[in-house]
Amino acid sequence: MGGTVPAGEYRVRVIQDSPALPGTLRWAVWLLLGEAAAVALVAAYLVYEDLTGTANNIVVALMVTAFAAAGAALLFVLARALAARRAGARGPAIVLQLMLLPIGYFMIQGGLPWAGVPIIAVAVAVGALLVTPSSTKALGLG
């Protein structure tokens, strides 16, 4: 009979469930995804401005837009890697959070505390969540 498989000639792949991510690592991943979404919105706005605005230097405008898009992509990739428990993603994620601290500070100094304070708060929160003992253990670093 066509289409039938004789018994014993197929294999069933068994996937063992890994334990759930600890809450600290799960929150860090969600916050990183939120950061990625926010930076992606900024990149989309910059694309709109590149297409409709008048730029003094189009090369600089395109580079700023590309930098924002790359930042959003990097945050997304790091969040996915941390969700998959890849220990090597923790260091770059922490570095990105440290890079956000001066950005938030200068936004506050520039008169935008409504944007600078949340940036600093999220950066500190993600950095702290990534170095907690439960996150460290879940990533196999402890």
Side-chain angles (χ1 to χ4, degrees), residues 22-126:
T24 55
L25 188 56
R26 188 177 323 111
W27 271 102
V29 167
W30 280 109
L31 289 172
L32 281 170
L33 288 172
E35 287 178 1
V39 176
L41 287 174
V42 169
Y45 174 74
L46 290 172
V47 167
Y48 170 77
E49 286 295 319
D50 290 346
L51 295 174
T52 61
T54 56
N56 293 335
N57 189 339
I58 191 68
V59 174
V60 173
L62 292 175
M63 290 300 290
V64 169
T65 304
F67 185 75
L74 180 60
L75 284 165
F76 178 76
V77 167
L78 289 172
R80 295 282 306 208
L82 287 168
R85 297 177 190 242
R86 304 221 189 277
R90 185 174 84 156
I94 291 172
V95 168
L96 285 179
Q97 301 314 302
L98 292 173
M99 291 173 63
L100 286 174
L101 296 176
I103 292 171
Y105 172 77
F106 285 111
M107 289 182 90
I108 292 169
Q109 293 300 317
L112 298 172
W114 58 269
V117 170
I119 287 173
I120 291 174
V122 171
V124 168
V126 172

